[in-house]
């Protein structure tokens, strides 16, 4: 399952990233590393992005990024 | 007292980082994640004795200021706020290069006490780069409000660096921060931080590369953290090599006495 | 010595070959390194931190409301309107007070010149030209800035601005722009040059340029007085005095919304043409709300922002006042240079709902937007001196006597909102982008937008009314 499909208020555990190169580095550095639990916190009133709780910080990510993160619910 | 410009190691501060070094004025770098109150700490330490400019060739704001403690002046450099030093954004490269090549006498990492884990990620990376690290655990009041308790001694013991809890906006803990900075810069205290040990496959790769680096870089090996460099090479970070070229070779033309003689290496 | 550099390059080249690790292997190592550091951080944090479950997290509760589907946007609008209303309503009294003081001093200056038997032209240039322009700028700009900047810094300090970016991101994404552009636009309310510098937070060069080029579609403090004065004179007076500041605030909010819509539209056009590309990755932290430090906010917003912007305005206002006075007072056959230029511009200006004097005022106001209305008044009054800014009814009479209607006011406000950014902003653009090219591009593209929008609006209204 992709992180972008995680329903609001639900949590999932990151299995892997399909991002490559620079983008992979950035996502990893933000704490999106395999084994990390992520929770979909809230959705922007304009429909996107979605804010996730990732290692103690709330980070808003666009669908373009969350499509590159695989999770298990 | 070991307070000399030379103690900052390679003399590239002025040219490549836009910083006026003076003899007997130790350079302290201020690193930290965004939103940790880093600029509050900077303002509280330097007051009005600060000015802002740009990092050379970059449109990234650089703030530097002076504070005095025990009649000793310190030059404080505010590095860009970053989560890490590993991805190659402009901000992260500036912070990394400053710690790595300008070799400040001390790096203070400002961390958000309400979110220690994420902040430690950066602390550990800084500790890999340099020995003189102090952790400034800011926003202690917020942590208290959120009922987060931090065992400072335990934390300090694990990291093997001084940990100073602060509430920068109330000037709480800043005296202690200045005091420990003074002691470290005057070499009254020596710090040997906990050194990160990686998983086996990483360590094996490091072991393979390290001896090669030692022979190739023997002339600057005392000015560069070779283990750290090896790690960057095996993970495919090309920007580090560009920075080495920039700070050790291109600029060395003008820094007399620091020029690396080519010798047999070429 | 070049040998050293060559040697360095050689060394670097050999260094990049020291490992014979494949790219995919490197990626694996890289993942492991990041993972190991994070796990260590987690382990240490777990050992030294103990957390008690707290009953209510106020920040969460605030976010539930401030970013909620139904309340998010209305609250943003109310905040925006509230800030404008406070600025408009609060600035009136100190403005009048300042004007009184400054123009009292002008009287004393005139007496001084007379006592010293100074020539008439010198007194004209220095008092009616330079001093009066500066006095106008200070009395019109200082009070709104002294109110606006602290409120703005307060919202910034409390952590509300990232929520604005979060709420609006989808619109920016669809325009091919970066969500943080909302933040740089917020800074633009204070000063567009500051807004351009703020685009540094946008990493991708493409989206940064979009944010830079469109920043001046957000009215800055130099243009607010123009918008506010015109809104209160021509639209606020239709209702009773008590509500006029509300109506004026509402009109300004409507203009700002129009500016935001145009920003999105132009961003979209740019990302489809000159600045083609896919939106780069976007991450925005929503940091916890923090109790703002009132004392520090007042000091910081006053020194860093108010005095900075005001100082800049006064510095350009002084020479501009001098030049304009000379233009208005030197002439051929009883017609001043100002009038000549205005007559020349008039046929074109009428097409976009303005007149020659208004357009000329915008052009001469290039150094600083805050002197546009003073120049206009100078052009209308053949005396060649600016009037005293406290008398809004006098201003209204002057404008109406020169053929102004509500449509002229609307066209002037729209042109003010969309036209070229001020000189300082253009210089800042050159500095931030490293090339004159983008400053010139911004100048022409924004002005083109202003002309097109004005033309369409004015012609449509003419058609139907």
């Amino acid at each position: 399952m992709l992180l972008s499909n995680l329903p609001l208020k639900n949590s999932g555990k990151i299995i892997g990233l399909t991002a490559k190169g620079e983008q992979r580095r950035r996502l990893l550095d933000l704490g999106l590393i395999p084994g990390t639990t992520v929770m979909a916190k809230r959705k922007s009133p304009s429909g996107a992005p979605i804010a996730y709780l990732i290692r103690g910080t709330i980070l808003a990510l666009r669908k373009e990024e969350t499509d590159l993160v695989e999770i298990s619910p | 007292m070991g307070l000399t410009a030379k103690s900052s190691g390679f003399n590239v501060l002025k040219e490549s980082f836009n910083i006026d070094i003076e003899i007997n004025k130790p350079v302290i770098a201020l690193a930290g994640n965004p939103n940790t109150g880093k600029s509050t700490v900077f303002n509280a330490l330097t007051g009005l004795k600060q000015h802002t400019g740009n990092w050379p060739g970059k449109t990234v704001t650089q703030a530097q200021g002076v504070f005095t403690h025990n009649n000793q002046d310190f030059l404080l450099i505010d590095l860009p706020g970053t989560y890490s030093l590993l991805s190659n954004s402009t901000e992260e490269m500036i912070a990394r290069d400053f710690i790595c090549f300008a070799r400040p006498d001390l790096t203070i990492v400002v961390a958000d006490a309400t979110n220690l884990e994420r902040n430690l990620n950066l602390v550990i990376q800084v500790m890999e780069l340099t020995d003189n690290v102090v952790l400034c655990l800011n926003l202690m009041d917020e942590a208290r409000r959120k009922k987060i308790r931090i065992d400072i001694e335990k934390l300090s013991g694990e990291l093997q660096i001084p940990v100073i809890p602060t509430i920068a906006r109330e000037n709480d803990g800043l005296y202690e921060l200045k005091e420990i900075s003074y002691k470290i810069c005057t070499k009254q205290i020596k710090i040997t931080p906990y050194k990160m040990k990686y998983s086996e496959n990483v360590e094996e790769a490091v072991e393979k590369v390290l001896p090669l680096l030692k022979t190739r870089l023997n002339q600057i090996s005392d000015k560069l953290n070779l283990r750290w460099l090896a790690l960057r090479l095996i993970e495919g970070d090309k920007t580090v090599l560009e920075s080495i070229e920039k700070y050790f070779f291109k600029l060395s033309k003008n820094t007399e006495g620091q020029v690396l003689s080519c010798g047999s290496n070429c | 010595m070049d040998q050293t550099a060559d040697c360095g390059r050689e060394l670097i080249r050999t260094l990049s070959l020291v490992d014979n690790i494949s790219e995919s292997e490197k990626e694996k190592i890289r993942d492991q390194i990041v993972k190991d550091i994070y796990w260590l951080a987690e382990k240490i944090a777990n050992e030294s931190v103990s957390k008690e479950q707290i009953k209510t997290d106020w920040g969460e509760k605030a976010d539930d409301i401030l970013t909620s589907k139904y309340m998010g946007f209305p609250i943003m609008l109310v905040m925006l309107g509230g800030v404008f209303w406070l600025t408009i309503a609060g600035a009136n009294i100190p403005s009048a007070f300042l004007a009184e003081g400054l123009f009292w001093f002008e009287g004393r200056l005139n007496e001084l010149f007379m006592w010293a038997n100074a020539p008439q032209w010198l007194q004209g240039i220095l008092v009616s030209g330079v001093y009066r322009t500066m006095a106008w700028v200070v009395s019109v700009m200082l009070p709104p800035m002294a109110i606006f900047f602290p409120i703005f810094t307060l919202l910034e300090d409390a952590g509300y601005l990232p929520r604005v970016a979060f709420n609006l991101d989808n619109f920016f994404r669809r325009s091919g722009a970066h969500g943080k552009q909302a933040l740089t636009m917020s800074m633009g309310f204070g000063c567009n040059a500051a807004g351009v510098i703020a685009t540094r937070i946008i990493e991708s060069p493409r989206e940064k340029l979009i944010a830079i080029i469109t920043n001046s579609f957000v009215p800055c403090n130099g243009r607010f007085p123009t918008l506010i004065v015109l809104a209160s004179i021509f639209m606020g007076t239709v209702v009773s005095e008590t509500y006029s500041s509300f109506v004026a605030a509402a009109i300004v909010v409507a203009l700002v919304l129009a500016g935001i819509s145009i920003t999105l539209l132009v961003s979209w056009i740019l990302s489809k043409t000159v600045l083609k590309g896919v939106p780069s990755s976007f991450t925005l932290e929503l940091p916890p709300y923090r109790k703002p430090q009132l004392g520090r906010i007042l000091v910081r917003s006053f020194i860093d922002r108010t005095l900075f912007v005001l100082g800049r305005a006064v510095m350009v206002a002084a020479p501009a006042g001098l030049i304009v006075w000379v233009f208005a007072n030197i002439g051929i056959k009883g017609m001043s240079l100002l009038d000549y230029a205005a007559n020349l511009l008039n046929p074109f200006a009428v097409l976009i709902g303005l007149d020659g004097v208004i357009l000329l005022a915008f052009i001469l106001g290039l150094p600083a937007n805050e002197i546009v209305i003073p120049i206009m008044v100078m052009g209308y009054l053949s005396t060649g001196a600016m009037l005293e800014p406290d008398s809004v009814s006098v201003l209204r009479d002057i404008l109406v006597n020169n053929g102004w209607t509500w449509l002229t006011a609307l066209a002037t406000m729209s042109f003010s909102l969309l036209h070229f950014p001020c000189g300082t902003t253009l210089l800042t653009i050159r500095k931030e982008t490293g090339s004159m090219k983008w400053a010139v591009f911004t100048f022409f593209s924004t002005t083109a937008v202003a002309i097109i929008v004005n033309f369409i609006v004015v012609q449509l209204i003419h058609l139907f009314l």
Side-chain angles (χ1 to χ4, degrees), chain B residues 116-129:
Chain B
L116 190 61
E117 181 191 319
R118 175 176 290 277
N119 285 266
L120 282 181
N121 180 48
L122 180 69
V123 177
I124 293 168
Q125 291 182 31
V126 174
M127 279 164 30
E128 274 193 301
L129 252 179

Side-chain angles (χ1 to χ4, degrees), chain B residues 245 249 262 266, chain C residues 1-12:
Chain B
E245 191 184 352
F249 297 101
C262 274
C266 261
Chain C
M1 278 300 203
D2 270 331
Q3 217 188 335
T4 329
D6 288 342
C7 168
R9 217 164 296 131
E10 177 62 24
L11 181 64
I12 300 303

Side-chain angles (χ1 to χ4, degrees), chain B residues 35 40 54 59-61 83 86 89 91 112 116-118 120-121 124 139 142 146-151 155 158-159 169 194 196 198-199 201-202 209 212-213 216-217 233-236 241 245 249 252-253 260 262 266, chain C residues 1-5 7-9 11-12 14-16 18-19 21 23 26 29-30 32-34 36-38 40-45 47-52 54 200 203 208 285 287-291 293 296 431-432:
Chain B
N35 302 310
T40 316
N54 279 356
T59 50
V60 175
T61 310
Y83 290 113
L86 295 179
S89 73
E91 282 81 8
D112 176 354
L116 190 61
E117 181 191 319
R118 175 176 290 277
L120 282 181
N121 180 48
I124 293 168
L139 302 170
E142 302 272 338
K146 291 192 174 167
K147 306 249 165 95
I148 296 169
R149 237 170 265 125
I150 299 174
D151 186 337
L155 182 61
E158 294 269 353
L159 297 168
R169 56 212 223 155
Y194 172 82
M196 175 82 202
Y198 289 96
S199 304
N201 61 334
V202 179
V209 175
L212 274 156
L213 286 184
R216 299 253 191 228
L217 290 171
L233 288 177
I234 59 167
E235 58 142 323
L241 292 178
E245 191 184 352
F249 297 101
S252 58
K253 282 185 210 172
L260 298 155
C262 274
C266 261
Chain C
M1 278 300 203
D2 270 331
Q3 217 188 335
T4 329
C7 168
R9 217 164 296 131
L11 181 64
I12 300 303
T14 59
L15 274 186
S16 55
V18 289
D19 54 290
I21 307 168
E23 282 305 313
K26 278 181 178 166
I29 289 178
R30 151 100 204 157
Q32 195 61 50
I33 287 176
V34 179
D36 284 350
I37 296 175
Y38 257 116
L40 178 67
E42 192 179 319
K43 188 183 122 253
I44 296 177
E47 281 169 9
S48 45
V49 178
S50 59
K51 212 169 174 178
E52 244 175 78
I54 46 168
R200 289 173 172 195
E203 283 230 333
K208 183 176 159 172
E285 184 181 345
Y289 290 99
R290 303 251 151 85
K291 196 176 79 196
Q293 304 163 266
R296 198 163 272 171
K431 221 168 134 195
E432 290 294 310

Side-chain angles (χ1 to χ4, degrees), chain A residues 20 24-26 28-31 33 41-42 44-46 48-49 55 57-62 64-65, chain C residues 27 30-31 38-39 42 60 63-64 67-68 166-167 169-170 173 177 179 279 281-286:
Chain A
K20 291 269 165 259
R24 186 184 184 89
R25 275 174 182 251
R26 259 182 12 85
L28 285 169
D29 271 339
L30 288 171
I33 53 175
K41 273 291 213 188
R42 57 185 79 250
S44 160
S46 55
R55 294 186 173 260
T57 304
I58 311 257
L59 287 170
L61 300 172
R62 284 180 177 175
E64 285 83 346
E65 275 82 53
Chain C
E27 192 160 271
R30 151 100 204 157
D31 282 15
Y38 257 116
W39 288 133
E42 192 179 319
E60 292 251 329
D63 268 345
D64 284 345
T67 68
S68 79
F166 177 64
N167 286 350
D169 179 60
N170 210 15
R173 189 185 62 88
S281 54
F282 167 80
T283 43
L284 174 76
E285 184 181 345
L286 300 180

Side-chain angles (χ1 to χ4, degrees), chain C residues 270-283:
Chain C
L270 286 173
S271 71
K272 289 275 174 279
T273 55
V274 195
L275 294 166
K276 248 190 217 137
V278 282
S280 71
S281 54
F282 167 80
T283 43

Side-chain angles (χ1 to χ4, degrees), chain C residues 3 25 32 50 69 71 96 102 178 229-230 250-251 303 332 439:
Chain C
Q3 217 188 335
E25 188 63 26
Q32 195 61 50
S50 59
K69 197 170 172 187
M71 296 297 285
L102 288 168
H178 201 283
V229 163
L230 293 181
I251 301 267
I303 295 176
I332 317 151

Side-chain angles (χ1 to χ4, degrees), chain B residues 18-19 26 29 48 56 81 83 103 145 156 159 166 183 186 200 208 232-233 253 256:
Chain B
N18 233 353
I19 283 158
L48 293 172
Y83 290 113
R103 310 230 294 174
R145 196 170 316 138
S156 175
L159 297 168
T166 62
K183 283 187 178 152
T186 52
E200 231 168 274
K208 264 184 227 153
R232 299 292 78 78
L233 288 177
K253 282 185 210 172
E256 247 178 275

